[in-house]
Amino acid sequence: MRHPGFSSDQYRPGFPVLNPIPPKQEDASGLFIFMDGEAHSRFRRMLTAEFMIKNIRRIEPLIEETVVEALERMRASGPPADLMNEFALPVPSMTICHLLGVPYSDHDFFQFHSRAIMDRNSGPEEVEAALGALSGFLGELIKFKRTSPGEDLLSRLVAERVVPGELREDELLSMAMLLLVAGHETTANMIGLSALALLEHPESLEAVRDDPGLAPGMVEELLRYITVVRTGLPRLALEDVEIGGRLIRAGEGAVAMLSMANRDPSVFHDPELFDPARNEAHRHMAFGFGLHQCIGQPLARAELRIALVELARRFPGLRSRTTLADVPKRHMAVTFGLAELPVTW
Ligand code: HEM
């Protein structure tokens, strides 16, 4: 994951593509997750400071507000309710709205289209229409931030990078789309699957209700135990590389299986066990590792921690309405997840 001899560029011939990918878009210039070398670090550097823990702390009150709002809406609509739809999906979408500086009056529009992109029931045309609508919306928003800047990420990137000519508007637009897509489904599925795991382990849910200080450690263990990016991370070898005594030749594909690393018995004691008290949980690879390691991890951790604490606190009688085996899952996605999570209280 750290070796510069591997490429993340899925458009290179021979790249081990795990999911069908759309043709390369002219305006996909800021999708740095698929870039290598200086082109990649140029974009990544512009965001590093934004996602540092101290900056995420500043938006924690907004995350808290979002979480509480979604939970209270779920309460009003039930019982029963679908926790995925009422809680797990809206939280990351509202949070990214706050981060990017989407005006409150446009939240519904933004949320509607970003959820259509993530919904596995959306057909290709619906996804394309939603991507088009969001891209048009973000383009207008970027223009608006030039004249009416706020205290948000888009305004800062416009003022500090676009205006001095360091970054083009279309590059910023695709960076914003990447943040939306990369941060949405991963976090939503983690919230849903974490809720399910804790419903299966009610003693842990009770423990975090009594002592919210346990939440950060529990979140690390949930990230390890669940490992939502279940297809692993694909790479293409650009040169002959030896990894763990195996030669990977130039032109060959390699997939880093994060889920297997996270069940490695030489690192994790009794790895199949969900143990929120384990000391070594933080050594997981759920956010990847090395050059492309998740830039949004402080944000994801904050969202997960706040979501779980508030869920435990506000819904002491929460129960799943189906058994684990019967919960509808999403098997074919890059990130593992639940199609719905029927709950009652
Ligand atoms: C629990 C939630 C999350 C998980 C499990 C997760 C996982 C990952 C993983 C495994 C990678 C590495 C990809 C690779 O090496 O090819 C990654 C990269 C990335 N993530 Fe996350 N992520 C999460 C949340 C977020 C959030 C909330 C954001 C931002 C809003 C975000 C933004 C990104 C970006 C921009 C990259 C690309 C970094 C780069 O290429 O340098 N992620 N994420």
Side-chain angles (χ1 to χ4, degrees):
M1 304 307 300
R2 206 157 42 184
H3 199 292
F6 287 101
S7 172
S8 284
D9 181 354
Q10 57 177 357
Y11 292 101
R12 278 181 189 264
F15 192 91
V17 175
L18 302 176
N19 282 69
I21 52 170
K24 195 165 184 168
Q25 306 277 317
E26 277 308 312
D27 57 0
S29 45
L31 297 183
F32 60 94
I33 195 166
F34 301 127
M35 292 179 185
D36 301 326
E38 182 44 37
H40 163 257
S41 33
R42 170 178 167 242
F43 290 109
R44 188 172 166 114
R45 270 197 306 268
M46 294 184 198
L47 291 175
T48 322
E50 291 288 342
F51 284 94
M52 280 179 350
I53 294 172
K54 68 173 187 335
N55 288 331
I56 298 304
R57 284 227 174 93
R58 271 198 263 148
I59 65 160
E60 275 191 14
L62 288 170
I63 302 177
E64 182 109 32
E65 221 172 87
T66 303
V67 162
V68 170
E69 220 174 84
L71 283 175
E72 291 310 322
R73 225 177 305 120
M74 179 169 98
R75 189 196 302 285
S77 78
D82 172 10
L83 187 139
M84 263 325 279
N85 224 26
E86 299 286 341
F87 182 50
L89 278 163
V91 165
S93 141
M94 296 297 273
T95 305
I96 199 78
C97 278
H98 288 310
L99 193 85
L100 294 178
V102 173
Y104 199 79
S105 53
D106 291 324
H107 276 191
D108 284 346
F109 175 91
F110 189 89
Q111 207 186 334
F112 176 80
H113 291 293
S114 71
R115 285 176 69 177
I117 297 170
M118 307 303 156
D119 188 341
R120 83 173 171 150
N121 296 319
S122 306
E125 286 107 51
E126 270 170 281
V127 173
E128 209 177 316
L131 279 169
L134 269 186
S135 146
F137 174 80
L138 284 169
E140 288 304 312
L141 190 60
I142 289 168
K143 286 195 170 48
F144 175 75
K145 300 285 179 191
R146 268 187 190 266
T147 47
S148 314
E151 288 286 309
D152 55 74
L153 188 147
L154 279 185
S155 296
R156 280 191 292 279
L157 287 171
V158 166
E160 291 164 21
R161 311 285 180 174
V162 176
V163 171
E166 232 183 276
L167 183 69
R168 297 195 315 265
E169 270 187 24
D170 63 301
E171 291 176 323
L172 178 55
L173 175 63
S174 51
M175 274 166 97
M177 291 290 271
L178 171 62
L179 291 178
L180 171 68
V181 174
H184 200 147
E185 195 166 359
T186 42
T187 314
N189 285 328
M190 263 308 294
I191 295 175
L193 287 162
S194 299
L196 181 61
L198 293 179
L199 289 172
E200 295 272 309
H201 296 87
E203 69 293 348
S204 299
L205 201 56
E206 215 177 292
V208 81
R209 181 179 315 127
D210 293 343
D211 180 3
L214 297 175
M218 200 173 282
V219 165
E220 294 313 303
E221 175 64 350
L222 286 162
L223 285 161
R224 180 198 75 86
Y225 185 70
I226 293 167
T227 317
V228 278
V229 182
R230 66 161 29 198
T231 53
L233 304 176
R235 297 290 192 266
L236 179 73
L238 301 177
E239 56 187 76
D240 290 0
V241 183
E242 202 184 298
I243 302 276
R246 285 285 186 97
L247 180 65
I248 301 171
R249 293 186 188 283
E252 285 180 346
V255 181
M257 293 303 300
L258 306 179
S259 47
M260 288 175 74
N262 283 347
R263 300 278 168 122
D264 181 347
S266 71
V267 181
F268 303 104
H269 163 72
D270 206 353
E272 298 298 324
L273 187 76
F274 173 65
D275 175 10
R278 73 167 73 238
N279 291 328
E280 73 283 12
H282 65 280
R283 296 181 63 195
H284 68 76
M285 307 274 283
F287 289 121
F289 187 72
L291 303 166
H292 287 272
Q293 192 180 42
C294 182
I295 203 167
Q297 51 186 294
L299 177 61
R301 285 191 166 103
E303 288 182 61
L304 284 168
R305 177 173 42 79
I306 296 169
L308 295 183
V309 168
E310 290 301 330
L311 183 67
R313 191 184 283 161
R314 286 167 191 266
F315 287 84
L318 193 70
R319 308 186 296 286
S320 171
R321 293 190 72 219
T322 50
T323 61
L324 176 59
D326 292 334
V327 178
K329 323 233 176 18
R330 307 183 47 187
H331 283 296
M332 76 292 195
V334 172
T335 54
F336 178 53
L338 303 174
E340 51 185 276
L341 178 53
V343 291
T344 190
W345 55 89

